[in-house]
Amino acid sequence: MLQTKLCNLNLKNPTILASGILGVTKERIGRIGKAGAGAVTLKSLCHEERQGNSNPTMFAYDGVFLNAVGLPGQGIDSALKDFQRLDNLSVPVIGSIYGYRIEQFDNVAKKMASLKPAMIEVDISCPHLDYGKPYYADAGLTAEVTKAVKKNSGKIPVSIKLSPNVYDIKEIAHAAERAGADAITAINTATGMVIDIDAKKPVLANKTGGVSGPALKPIAVRCVYEIYETVKIPIIGTGGVTYGKDAIEIIMAGAAAVGIGTGIYYRGIGIFKKVCDEMEMWMKKNKIKNLNEIRGCAHK
Ligand SMILES: Cc1cc2nc3c(=O)[nH]c(=O)nc-3n(C[C@H](O)[C@H](O)[C@H](O)COP(=O)(O)O)c2cc1C
């Protein structure tokens, strides 16, 4: 009922662990797969190890989750040693990469491709990384990054992860598709700020952070809807998906698959199975046999 085709991947269901939410080790990939995820995305990796930003880097209240972790974690070389290969694990693994400068993408993409992930996701959209004019806000730069990664990734499909912090996300998605992207991941977090009124200053040391979780969902649904009208390649709809009804909504906007990140904070690692069960219940009630029957139906 939930089987999903994403580029050349056959997923048992459309739920995918979004990048950066859990520290994903080889052992943990198996556990996340057992918990029901259709695929798992690794934390984004670049050419070097990063410490990330100073604390506090995370804040949560009600439906809002704000973070400015600043992409802490190992570099691609240490990931090569840890994983060796990614194509022999119990669940499809998507490798996520980023770079501060376009020249860095060739090498990181080549190394990531050598691990044989099911897909390479390109994080051009971290809102709290200082890389000068961000690639995500410029169609030309997005195309250049896409070409650099495609040139070095062989037959592995490439998804470009977009930011909602742009004037026209359709233009950026279109540039990625024209440059050879096989899929679009939409969206990364939206820049926001929370102020502690007693301390009279922003709660995060970085002042601004990326908003994720339920507060992001309407923005994600809007972005997926707009991108679906613009490109033919599949979309991994990501942003605030917490319940089965959210996954159905983002699929109706046009998503082929559904990223889940912050939802784990609210519902634990069992969220993948819970979301799938809730989707199936809704589908049975509405006599829907497979997701193709509702994908993009909100456009009619
Ligand atoms: C703590 C945290 C760390 C994140 N790290 C990454 C990352 O390394 N790479 C990336 O592409 N996205 C990263 N993201 C963005 C998520 O993958 C996702 O796009 C976003 O949070 C929206 O989905 P959600 O509302 O389901 O969390 C991070 C999000 C959070 C909350």
Side-chain angles (χ1 to χ4, degrees), residues 18-21 43-44 67 71 123 161 187-188 212-213 238-240 261-262:
S19 178
I21 307 297
K43 171 92 192 147
S44 300
N67 96 85
L71 293 166
D123 176 12
K161 185 163 182 181
I187 51 179
N188 211 313
S212 62
T238 308
T262 305

Side-chain angles (χ1 to χ4, degrees), residues 82-96:
D82 280 1
F83 290 110
Q84 287 162 15
R85 53 190 284 197
L86 292 167
D87 60 337
N88 58 352
L89 302 173
S90 54
V91 63
V93 178
I94 301 175
S96 172

